[in-house]
C-alpha cells in the first residue's frame, strides 16, 4: 500500500515484495502484507507495467478476502471515496487518483461477492490473453462476470458500492 509496502512489476523476473520493517504488529501489517502479496499473484498472470487502478483495487480485495473484517481498509476507503463520483473509467489504467485506486477496492469486493471470486480470476485471465482488455474496462468486467455493464453499474449503485 502507499505507506506500508510496495511490489515490483517483475518485468525481468519475479516480482519483489517490500514491507516497511518498522510497521507495528497488528491488522495494518497484515493488511499491507496481504495487499502486496496480492500484487505478486497479479504478476503471475500479467506483467503489464501500465496497470494501476485495477491492480490496486484488486489488491485491496485480496486483503479483504484473506483477512475479512480484520483487514484495515477503512482509511483507504474513506480517503478515496469520491471514486464513486468519477464512475468506472473506460480503461483499467488511468482515471483515478492514488487514493481513489485503493478505494475502488470496494467495487472489486462487491464484484466478487455478486459474481463470485472466480470473476476476479477470470478478469486476470482475460488481461493476460488479450492486451485490448486493458483499454476496455467495460468489456473486461462484462466478460468476467457474464453480465452487461449496465447491469453491473445498476446493481453496484443500488448497493452503494460504486
Amino acid at each position: 500500500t502507499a505507506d506500508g509496502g510496495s511490489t515490483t512489476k517483475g518485468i525481468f523476473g519475479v516480482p519483489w515484495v517490500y514491507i516497511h520493517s518498522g510497521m507495528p504488529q497488528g491488522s495494518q501489517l497484515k493488511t499491507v502484507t496481504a495487499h502486496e502479496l496480492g500484487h505478486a499473484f497479479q504478476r503471475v498472470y500479467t506483467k503489464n507495467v501500465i496497470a494501476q487502478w485495477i491492480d490496486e483495487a484488486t489488491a485491496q480485495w485480496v486483503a479483504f478476502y484473506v483477512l475479512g473484517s480484520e483487514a484495515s481498509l477503512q482509511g483507504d476507503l474513506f480517503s478515496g471515496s469520491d471514486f464513486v463520483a468519477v464512475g468506472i473509467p473506460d480503461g483499467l489504467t488511468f482515471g483515478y487518483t492514488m487514493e481513489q485506486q485503493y478505494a475502488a477496492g470496494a467495487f472489486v469486493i462487491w464484484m466478487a461477492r455478486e459474481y463470485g471470486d472466480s470473476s476476479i480470476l477470470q478478469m486476470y485471465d482475460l488481461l493476460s490473453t488479450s492486451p485490448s482488455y486493458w483499454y476496455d474496462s467495460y468489456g473486461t468486467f462484462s466478460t468476467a462476470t457474464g453480465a452487461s455493464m449496465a447491469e453491473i453499474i445498476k446493481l453496484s449503485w443500488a448497493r452503494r458500492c460504486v
Side-chain angles (χ1 to χ4, degrees):
T1 61
D3 59 351
S6 64
T7 304
T8 67
K9 294 287 185 182
I11 298 168
F12 300 111
V14 296
W16 287 76
V17 174
Y18 299 93
I19 306 296
H20 188 292
S21 62
M23 290 188 71
Q25 298 289 319
S27 64
Q28 179 78 19
L29 177 61
K30 290 177 183 178
T31 302
V32 167
T33 302
H35 176 102
E36 296 307 330
L37 287 175
H39 286 312
F41 289 125
Q42 290 165 347
R43 299 295 69 89
V44 169
Y45 284 95
T46 177
K47 301 262 193 263
N48 189 310
V49 296
I50 62 170
Q52 288 187 12
W53 82 262
I54 195 61
D55 279 350
E56 293 303 339
T58 304
Q60 294 288 71
W61 166 77
V62 169
F64 181 79
Y65 180 85
V66 170
L67 300 170
S69 63
E70 192 179 350
S72 180
L73 302 175
Q74 299 84 357
D76 290 337
L77 295 175
F78 179 76
S79 67
S81 61
D82 58 339
F83 86 94
V84 174
V86 175
I88 297 173
D90 294 338
L92 297 170
T93 305
F94 304 108
Y96 288 141
T97 66
M98 184 58 76
E99 292 83 11
Q100 292 168 338
Q101 290 175 33
Y102 289 109
F107 171 71
V108 177
I109 291 167
W110 170 83
M111 190 171 104
R113 284 185 169 174
E114 187 72 27
Y115 298 102
D117 297 330
S118 63
S119 65
I120 307 305
L121 179 58
Q122 174 65 20
M123 180 175 62
Y124 275 90
D125 283 342
L126 293 168
L127 296 174
S128 71
T129 59
S130 179
S132 64
Y133 279 108
W134 285 103
Y135 305 101
D136 180 14
S137 64
Y138 287 23
T140 303
F141 295 137
S142 293
T143 304
T145 62
S148 71
M149 199 60 203
E151 178 184 341
I152 292 169
I153 291 171
K154 179 181 173 185
L155 289 174
S156 60
W157 271 108
R159 292 180 176 88
R160 301 186 195 314
C161 296
V162 171

